[in-house]
Amino acid sequence: MRVITSDPAHVGVRGIDCDGDNPGLSLVRNAEVVGFDFGIYYGGYIPGMVFEHVVVKDQRQAGFRCRGNGVVIRDLCSSNTVTALKIEKDATVTLLDSVLSGSLSSPAIRNEGQLLARNVQFHDCRVTLDDLRNKRQLTDGHIKEYASAKAVSLFPSTGRTLNLPIEDTPTVPWDAGGNFANWVNVVKFGARPNSKKDDTDAIQAAIDSARSNIQSTVYFPVGRYRVSRPLEIGGSVRHLVGFPSTLEPINANGVWPHFGSFAGKTEPVIIRVADGQPVVVFDRLCLDGICDHASTNTVVFKLGSDMHYRNSISGGKAFFEDYTATYEITGPQQVWVRLWDPTWGLAQYPFFKNPQDPAYALNDGGTLVILGVDHESSSQRHTMLRNVNGGRTEIFNVLSWQNEEQVRVFDNQDGRLAVTGLRTETGVTLNDQRKGWQRETRQGSLLLAVCDSPQDDSAPAPVTHLKAAPTGGVWPFAMQLTWDAATGADSGVTGYEVLRNGRHLGWAQEAAFVDEAMVDDTAFTYEVLTLNGALRRSAPARDRKSTRLNSSHANISYAV
């Protein structure tokens, strides 16, 4: 898409106008805007918009202006003498893999809101970033990563995103010359949309015919089709197209039940992708059941809903664009999602592995990247994402509006997780478990949350000169602990664990800790252990004497 003002002086208001009520959830990609006051103007109050591979040039006020809510911008290319990206006070922007050029008279990025920038290059820019929120200016020619607010981490962490690769969705060619005669119509093999008959045999016959005749495309005229067993996809088939169309599971009695009634019985797998073409695309086809990715090839899902995706064989890739689905990712699988709205999915697709505490997405040891999430539901209250067993997950720009005190938006269990631009009104924003320790936060607005440990297998250096002293002159006292931290770039220290009488008391990021949970006339012995990012502990440092506080005295005595 190319948008150009016809005025020689580039006069015009907005090239692409995404202002007003409810502009998201949507994906704008491969767009070029030349001229206008603003090349792209993004506003409104529904988040989830994703801009990818966008060019703005020769604007009069700003190349890209953001206000009102969260947005993900990837591969923004700006050629402007004015500011390339202007972020208002109420906006949150994640900017990835971009090149901004020519802003000599104005800063390339002007930020008054929240900004997470990663891998952004600048050419011919006097000021690359003017962060008015933090009163900070940068002139670097390359920003590897910059956050306008400190990352929230519940354990010692890198404080940075995971920098996982973001791959473009593969483009799969149609038949040469656009010859529709080579398309296989499932209706011609006996399928009957919107009827009460079982269409499984007819659809499989159409797929098998395409495989036998080396045809690439099977299409479904508009309507709903009923499937009672998995349809096997493979061979020469690389496109399955609806107009739009839906495949829905039926049981042995020919009845489409609520998905939950399958629990403990035969799972409603309606699609199984086996070995065949390197890439298979499902386009405008709603799969109202389970899709089993049973090969190491690549699958692409576009413009659909209601599917539960899982992989029974690991090592493949999956891409989702504007597709409402739930996910069950196992092993070294790689999945990229552009625009995710899980609002309606779980009502029909609970996880059989954990029916008591289901999640909309489960990443069990795989790699998952999601750009743009909008989840609004008052009736379906479940964990949005569970990341376990070394799973690597990055999610950019999230709204979760579940209004439930006990809901965990993100549940991380010994995995690596980074989330940007999170806004929620739920109870527990993030639950993080590492090696048996568990912590959680209810902070509702986060620019960056990180659950990621530096990979360090060596034990960190211990602290020295640990001291304990009471604070204040009257009861109740608190105990102030101080120590000298290990120094040097190779110290490996990312935090501290404080123990009292051999039991965990708390965590500290700095070389000090205050114990306010004192008990009258009780002796305490304190220990401090340094931690590295992998939660490996140093040898303990101990206070030489135990301390005893007594409310009848204003000082402490030492019990040797």
Side-chain angles (χ1 to χ4, degrees), residues 152-155 357 383 404-412 426-434 437-444 446 449 451 507:
V152 173
S153 298
L154 304 184
F155 292 97
D357 186 16
T383 297
E404 172 58 49
E405 185 67 18
Q406 301 304 318
V407 167
R408 294 173 176 175
V409 181
F410 299 107
D411 184 13
N412 185 64
T426 191
V428 178
T429 305
L430 173 64
N431 179 73
D432 192 8
Q433 300 180 48
R434 293 196 203 174
W437 297 103
Q438 177 175 328
R439 305 191 79 183
E440 64 183 34
T441 180
R442 294 175 178 267
Q443 189 170 339
L446 303 172
C451 305
W507 306 97

Side-chain angles (χ1 to χ4, degrees), residues 74-259:
R74 176 174 175 257
D75 188 22
L76 172 67
C77 181
S78 172
S79 179
N80 270 297
T81 58
V82 298
T83 294
L85 176 60
K86 186 176 183 181
I87 305 168
E88 304 291 350
K89 292 181 180 180
D90 53 356
T92 300
V93 174
T94 299
L95 179 67
L96 307 169
D97 307 328
S98 297
V99 179
L100 311 181
S101 304
S103 299
L104 292 174
S105 59
S106 304
I109 302 175
R110 184 178 185 272
N111 177 55
E112 294 185 79
Q114 295 279 21
L115 169 67
L116 186 288
R118 189 177 79 187
N119 188 28
V120 181
Q121 299 183 41
F122 302 88
H123 301 290
D124 300 323
C125 299
R126 184 175 58 84
V127 176
T128 55
L129 169 62
D130 186 8
D131 188 350
L132 300 176
R133 186 185 185 95
N134 294 297
K135 299 181 181 179
R136 184 181 180 188
Q137 285 191 341
L138 301 181
T139 58
D140 309 49
H142 181 207
I143 293 179
K144 292 184 178 179
E145 182 160 316
Y146 178 87
S148 62
K150 185 178 179 180
V152 173
S153 298
L154 304 184
F155 292 97
S157 78
T158 62
R160 300 184 298 273
T161 65
L162 307 185
N163 201 24
L164 299 179
I166 302 176
E167 293 191 11
D168 289 337
T169 303
T171 300
V172 180
W174 299 96
D175 291 328
N179 187 356
F180 291 102
N182 289 327
W183 288 33
V184 178
N185 183 349
V186 298
V187 171
K188 290 186 177 181
F189 288 80
R192 294 292 178 265
N194 302 320
S195 71
K196 295 184 178 181
K197 68 180 294 291
D198 185 347
D199 297 305
T200 308
D201 290 340
I203 296 173
Q204 190 63 62
I207 294 170
D208 293 343
S209 175
R211 297 171 65 171
S212 299
N213 295 288
I214 320 298
Q215 295 169 298
S216 68
T217 302
V218 176
Y219 75 96
F220 298 74
V222 64
R224 303 181 70 89
Y225 299 81
R226 314 187 99 196
V227 179
S228 59
R229 66 177 187 275
L231 299 169
E232 302 288 340
I233 312 298
S236 61
V237 177
R238 61 175 183 255
H239 287 284
L240 292 99
V241 184
F243 283 87
S245 310
T246 299
L247 303 184
E248 61 185 22
I250 56 174
N251 60 20
N253 298 321
V255 177
W256 181 84
H258 189 281
F259 190 101

Side-chain angles (χ1 to χ4, degrees), residues 14 16-19 23 38-45 49-51 56 61-74 76 83-95 109-115 397:
R14 302 170 184 177
I16 298 178
D17 189 355
C18 300
D19 195 13
F38 301 97
I40 300 175
Y41 194 105
Y42 172 72
Y45 295 94
M49 287 201 72
V50 176
F51 294 83
V56 290
Q61 294 188 34
F64 199 128
R65 182 178 181 181
C66 300
R67 72 169 188 86
N69 225 310
V71 63
V72 179
I73 307 171
R74 176 174 175 257
L76 172 67
T83 294
L85 176 60
K86 186 176 183 181
I87 305 168
E88 304 291 350
K89 292 181 180 180
D90 53 356
T92 300
V93 174
T94 299
L95 179 67
I109 302 175
R110 184 178 185 272
N111 177 55
E112 294 185 79
Q114 295 279 21
L115 169 67
N397 190 38

Side-chain angles (χ1 to χ4, degrees), residues 11 44 87 108 148 284 305 329 335 348 365 397 413 419 475 494 510 522 534:
V11 173
I87 305 168
S148 62
R284 301 175 189 272
S305 64
I329 303 163
V335 178
Q348 297 179 6
N397 190 38
Q413 302 175 18
V419 181
W475 186 263
T494 57
E510 307 296 335
T522 303

